[in-house]
């Protein structure tokens, strides 16, 4: 029997960004009702792999290490809802080019290695509330500023009260050339 792990690539906020995002989530949740996501589980999914044999996780680490991405700033200023309003999220007005390049680069590299990934266009979002009962406001006020300098491989432990996540790898995104460091 092969052990399987449920894994995905994501942007994982540091404690300060997670706190700001959680503050926004609580304000929005006051309007929407439903199930507020846990502060320590807030994330932006880059590529979802699903259940993988544990032995394939090493290939995912090698693939991550071979990615050439760049750091970028993400401004989470917009809110919206999917799945007939049940999933409430926050996202940028438009994905920064470096974010779209990272998500598309990962998807391409994963497919080249035989992993099946989502074919729908990448839609950058952080899920804040599930099973919402009312629509969210259209904007996150104040917007959450997130300086993204790494991406992560995350393991998901799905339980009856929602998933618990475990970051199992992190890879830096270097500052772009010409960016003054200070
Ligand atoms: P639960 O499934 O218990 O409600 P969850 O959706 O947060 O919790 P996972 O299903 O493990 O946990 O998903 C992990 C992340 O990947 C989440 O951000 C989820 O939205 C995203 N995700 C799940 N399935 C897909 C998919 N088929 N395509 C793209 N992203 C997905
Ligand atoms: Mg799920």
């Amino acid at each position: 029997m092969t052990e399987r792990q449920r894994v995905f690539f994501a942007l994982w906020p540091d404690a300060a960004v997670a706190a700001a995002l959680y503050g926004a989530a609580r304000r929005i949740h006051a309007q929407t009702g439903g199930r507020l996501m846990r502060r320590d589980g807030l994330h932006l999914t880059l590529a979802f792999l699903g259940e993988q044999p544990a032995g394939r996780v090493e290939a995912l680490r090698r693939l991550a290490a071979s990615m050439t991405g760049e750091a970028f700033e993400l401004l989470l200023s917009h809110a919206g809802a999917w799945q007939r309003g049940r999933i409430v999220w926050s996202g940028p007005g438009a994905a920064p080019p470096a974010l779209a390049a990272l998500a598309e680069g990962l998807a391409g590299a994963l497919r080249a290695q035989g992993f099946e990934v989502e074919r729908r266009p990448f839609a950058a979002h952080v899920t804040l509330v599930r099973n919402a009962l009312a629509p969210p406001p259209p904007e996150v006020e104040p917007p959450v500023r997130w300086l993204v300098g790494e991406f992560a491989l995350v393991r998901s432990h799905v339980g009856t009260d929602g998933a618990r996540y475990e970051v199992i790898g992190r890879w830096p995104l270097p500052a772009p050339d010409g960016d003054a460091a200070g």
Side-chain angles (χ1 to χ4, degrees):
M1 209 175 77
T2 318
E3 194 213 335
R4 298 180 84 82
Q5 299 186 0
R6 187 176 179 88
V7 290
F8 58 104
F9 285 106
L11 302 181
W12 207 264
D14 66 17
V17 171
L21 258 173
Y22 189 66
R26 285 208 307 191
R27 286 190 291 279
I28 288 173
H29 176 252
Q31 237 170 283
T32 63
R35 178 161 62 90
L36 177 65
M37 296 294 95
R38 295 161 51 95
R39 172 168 32 191
D40 62 8
L42 295 169
H43 65 273
L44 188 152
T45 299
L46 294 168
F48 181 76
L49 281 312
E51 309 286 334
Q52 297 292 330
R56 286 291 265 159
V57 173
E58 203 43 47
L60 293 173
R61 291 179 187 281
R62 281 197 301 274
L63 183 149
S66 76
M67 295 300 297
T68 54
E70 281 186 349
F72 55 90
E73 178 182 319
L74 187 60
L75 196 66
L76 298 168
S77 53
H78 287 51
W82 285 330
Q83 296 192 7
R84 299 202 201 105
R86 285 197 299 267
I87 293 192
V88 168
W89 50 265
S90 171
L99 170 56
L102 177 61
E104 284 157 21
L106 274 171
L110 288 164
R111 276 188 209 111
Q113 295 276 316
F115 290 97
E116 274 182 39
V117 290
E118 179 71 66
R119 287 197 175 270
R120 284 179 300 186
F122 174 64
H125 71 282
V126 178
T127 297
L128 304 177
V129 173
R130 289 185 191 247
N131 303 323
L133 307 168
E139 277 166 13
V140 174
E141 197 45 58
V144 175
R145 185 165 171 262
W146 182 357
L147 297 175
V148 178
E150 63 177 24
F151 69 100
L153 181 61
V154 185
R155 186 169 173 193
S156 177
H157 303 267
V158 178
T160 47
D161 60 341
R164 302 279 167 128
Y165 309 111
E166 178 191 1
V167 174
I168 59 173
R170 296 174 187 276
W171 293 269
L173 295 167
D177 286 344
D179 234 32

